[in-house]
Every structure is written in structure tokens, then in C-alpha cells.
Amino acid sequence: MENDVFNEINRVDPNIRDEMLAELFLDQMMNDFKKSKILEKIDQSLKNKDIEAFLRLTKELKSVT
């Protein structure tokens, strides 16, 4: 299946392909950043023994993942 995707990408105009790849990269970077921030907040909620924040943040993390 991965080969099919790569073959299709190679058929796309190089400018459009580069734009698509850049957008995918940026989306992944944003998701990674969001996850790291949520994980920091989860750690803080555990330190503060804030169960409500912990539950809210773990739910938020699942939606980003």
C-alpha cells in the first residue's frame, strides 16, 4: 500500500507535491507540539493531585493522538 501512495505522489506536479509534503510535515509538527504541551499539563496535574484536570487533559490528549 505504501508503494501505491508513493507512486501516486510521484505522479503529482512537483510544486503541488512539495506543498502537500510541507503541509503534512507542519501538521505533524503541530500535533507533536500540542501533545507535548498536554503531557506537560498532565504531569503538572499529577503533581498537584488535580484529578479533574488530569481526566480532562487525558481526554484532550486522546483527541490529538
Side-chain angles (χ1 to χ4, degrees), residues 40-51 53-54:
E40 288 175 13
K41 291 177 183 179
I42 287 173
D43 287 345
Q44 191 61 44
S45 72
L46 290 170
K47 288 178 187 176
N48 295 337
K49 299 180 183 179
D50 185 347
I51 294 170
F54 173 79

Side-chain angles (χ1 to χ4, degrees), residues 1-27:
M1 178 167 163
E2 286 183 25
N3 286 336
D4 293 339
V5 172
F6 288 124
N7 287 336
E8 288 299 317
I9 288 174
N10 286 332
R11 292 184 195 157
V12 175
D13 179 88
N15 292 328
I16 294 172
R17 182 184 65 223
D18 291 347
E19 185 177 328
M20 291 169 56
L21 291 174
E23 189 172 334
L24 288 170
F25 175 77
L26 289 173
D27 286 345

Side-chain angles (χ1 to χ4, degrees), residues 32-64:
D32 291 348
F33 179 77
K34 287 177 187 177
K35 287 179 195 178
S36 71
K37 290 298 178 186
I38 294 170
L39 288 170
E40 288 175 13
K41 291 177 183 179
I42 287 173
D43 287 345
Q44 191 61 44
S45 72
L46 290 170
K47 288 178 187 176
N48 295 337
K49 299 180 183 179
D50 185 347
I51 294 170
E52 290 178 20
F54 173 79
L55 293 173
R56 178 178 47 79
L57 290 164
T58 53
K59 184 176 182 180
E60 187 177 338
L61 180 62
K62 289 178 186 177
S63 72
V64 174

